[in-house]
């Protein structure tokens, strides 16, 4: 038994109204004649010439009435190029307008063919370079993926149009705001002056022996009672930005203008404060205190246990290795560090990292020791980040193991990524 293939033909014709072999002079223009294309499934345009066209010199135009050419696809033809393009007819009439460049042509071959049925559009070899003036088909598609719980989601892009699937764990992408629902937190603190007799102290600005604000162990509010700010200098009138949590543990950023040593009320009372800094171009002259309202002397709270944040004028912002995960967020701790930078004694320091989940006790998460025989630093990278629930308090402490040591100074901090629940 034999099979016979029937010959299939795809009828077409050359459109002489829009074809030419006459070379064009400098800036010469070929303008074709309107051709009705109602019975065309596709129009192919091919052009070959030894000289470059003008910018967008090949104009493939369509019109509803043969007079007003409202639609055009424009291309620039390079010298020595032989290009072909396909046109999807969507109007009644079609024509070609070709404008030569700054050099007269020695050959010019322009041909337009109308075919009754559609066929394969122009194509390229894989090794051929693609340029902006190549013909192409417009394809719009959505990439969808399953997230593991059986639900399918469209893949989104960054603000620059890049796919986010390749760098969701990238710190740069998070810092740029390209990863939805993620933000970065870098906490750092310093215990500027503590002694052996102080025991275990919080690494924050208040751990400073002999000052009117000395508070070796940080005190946490049990209600949103942090409502005041003042400076130890009457000259300070700068704007201070304060970052903390309100009574619902939602993060609040507010800016308050100092009135020297006179108390100024915060616009929103806080249950936690973990950062404050000078917002202006003028340096602070005195120490700035964020505290629970009470009596003050020279702008300094009389009850040290009321103090929740201190800005040293040497730093122009707080240094406190203390933080609380906001409500509606989960923290992922990626790194912690401690250093004896500034320590001047031959001794050892025990560094402890604590976490207190909401309604529970402080629990040790990590313990390390560093020496100050020379400047010493320890860095702890979590290959698998430590997961920390919302409303959890975090604190780094230090304790010296040597007897009769004074004027010690230790710095510490940690890096977090916050993810919306």
């Amino acid at each position: 038994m034999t099979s016979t293939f029937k010959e299939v033909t795809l009828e077409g014709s050359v459109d002489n109204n829009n074809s030419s072999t006459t070379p064009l002079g400098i800036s010469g223009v070929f303008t074709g004649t309107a051709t009705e294309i109602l019975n065309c499934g596709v129009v192919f345009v091919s052009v070959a010439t030894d000289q470059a066209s003008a910018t967008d010199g090949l104009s493939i135009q369509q019109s509803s009435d043969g007079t007003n050419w409202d639609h055009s696809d424009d291309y620039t033809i390079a010298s020595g190029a032989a290009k072909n393009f396909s046109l999807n007819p969507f109007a009644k009439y079609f024509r070609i307008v070709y404008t030569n460049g700054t050099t007269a042509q020695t050959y010019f071959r322009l041909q337009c063919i109308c075919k009754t049925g559609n066929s394969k559009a122009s194509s390229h070899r894989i090794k051929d370079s693609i340029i902006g003036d190549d013909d192409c088909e417009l394809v719009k598609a959505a990439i969808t993926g399953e997230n593991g719980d059986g639900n399918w989601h469209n893949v989104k892009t960054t603000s620059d149009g890049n796919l986010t699937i390749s760098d969701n764990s990238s710190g740069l992408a998070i810092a740029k705001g390209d990863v939805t629902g993620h933000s970065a937190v870098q906490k750092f603190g310093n215990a500027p002056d503590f002694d052996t007799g102080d025991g275990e102290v919080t690494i924050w600005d208040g751990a400073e022996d002999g000052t009117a604000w000395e508070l070796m162990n940080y005190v946490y509010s049990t209600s949103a009672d942090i409502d005041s700010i003042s400076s130890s200098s009457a000259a300070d009138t700068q704007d201070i930005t304060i970052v903390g949590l309100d009574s619902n543990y939602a993060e609040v950023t507010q800016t308050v203008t100092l009135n020297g040593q006179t108390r100024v009320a915060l616009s929103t009372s806080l249950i936690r404060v973990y950062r404050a800094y000078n917002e202006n171009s003028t340096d602070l002259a005195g120490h700035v205190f964020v505290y629970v309202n009470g009596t003050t002397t020279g702008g300094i709270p009389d009850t040290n246990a009321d103090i929740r944040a201190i800005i040293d004028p040497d730093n122009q912002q707080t240094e406190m290795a203390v933080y609380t995960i906001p409500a509606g967020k989960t923290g992922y701790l990626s790194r912690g560090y401690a250093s004896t930078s500034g320590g001047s004694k031959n001794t050892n320091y025990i560094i402890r990292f604590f976490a207190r989940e909401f309604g529970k006790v402080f629990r040790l998460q990590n313990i390390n020791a560093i020496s100050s025989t020379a400047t010493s630093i320890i860095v702890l990278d979590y290959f698998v980040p430590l997961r920390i629930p919302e409303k959890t308090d975090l604190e780094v402490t230090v304790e010296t193991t040597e007897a009769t040591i004074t004027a010690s100074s230790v710095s510490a901090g940690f890096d977090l990524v916050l993810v919306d629940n």
Side-chain angles (χ1 to χ4, degrees), residues 191-196 207 342-345 347 349 400 405-410:
D193 189 340
F194 64 96
D195 304 337
T196 303
S344 58
K345 304 298 180 183
T347 186
Y349 298 100
T400 179
I405 297 299
T406 61
S408 292
S409 176
V410 169

Side-chain angles (χ1 to χ4, degrees), residues 276-332:
Y277 54 90
N278 182 1
E279 189 68 60
N280 291 158
S281 59
T282 302
D283 286 342
L284 294 166
H287 284 72
V288 173
F289 303 90
V290 181
Y291 54 96
V292 178
N293 189 21
T295 60
T296 61
T297 301
I300 304 170
D302 293 331
T303 303
N304 293 15
D306 287 342
I307 301 173
R308 299 293 182 267
I310 304 169
I311 301 177
D312 188 318
D314 288 339
N315 304 321
Q316 300 297 313
Q317 86 142 49
T318 51
E319 285 190 298
M320 47 198 307
V322 174
Y323 185 72
T324 301
I325 306 296
K329 312 271 187 184
T330 298
Y332 292 89

Side-chain angles (χ1 to χ4, degrees), residues 203-259:
I203 298 180
W204 82 299
D205 307 87
E208 187 171 7
D209 260 336
T211 60
W213 50 86
E214 177 184 335
L215 185 62
M216 291 296 170
N217 299 111
Y218 190 80
V219 176
Y220 294 83
S221 290
T222 57
S223 63
D225 58 359
I226 308 169
D227 59 359
S228 305
I229 187 171
S230 59
S231 172
S232 63
S233 172
D236 284 336
T237 57
Q238 294 88 336
D239 291 334
I240 304 297
T241 294
I242 303 160
V243 186
L245 305 179
D246 66 13
S247 58
N248 296 314
Y249 283 81
E251 185 169 86
V252 174
T253 299
Q254 56 189 303
T255 300
V256 180
T257 302
L258 291 171
N259 186 19

Side-chain angles (χ1 to χ4, degrees), residues 2-84:
T2 61
S3 298
T4 302
F5 290 94
K6 183 180 179 181
E7 181 180 358
V8 178
T9 60
L10 188 62
E11 295 182 359
S13 61
V14 174
D15 177 15
N16 292 318
N17 289 336
N18 291 285
S19 299
S20 175
T21 57
T22 302
L24 298 173
I26 296 173
S27 301
V29 178
F30 166 82
T31 302
T33 303
T35 296
E36 185 176 304
I37 53 175
L38 290 178
N39 295 322
C40 288
V42 62
V43 176
F44 290 104
V45 179
S46 64
V47 60
T49 179
D50 62 326
Q51 301 299 333
S53 72
T55 301
D56 293 335
L58 173 62
S59 181
I60 304 173
Q61 302 176 355
Q62 296 191 62
S63 169
S64 60
D65 56 13
T67 300
N68 299 293
W69 301 93
D70 299 320
H71 311 281
S72 67
D73 294 306
D74 301 323
Y75 305 92
T76 301
I77 306 301
S79 60
K83 303 291 294 182
N84 61 86

Side-chain angles (χ1 to χ4, degrees), residues 158 167-179 184 186 417:
T158 68
D167 64 352
N168 268 2
S169 61
S170 163
L172 176 60
I174 293 171
K176 289 169 61 182
D178 290 339
V179 185
Q186 289 84 37
V417 172

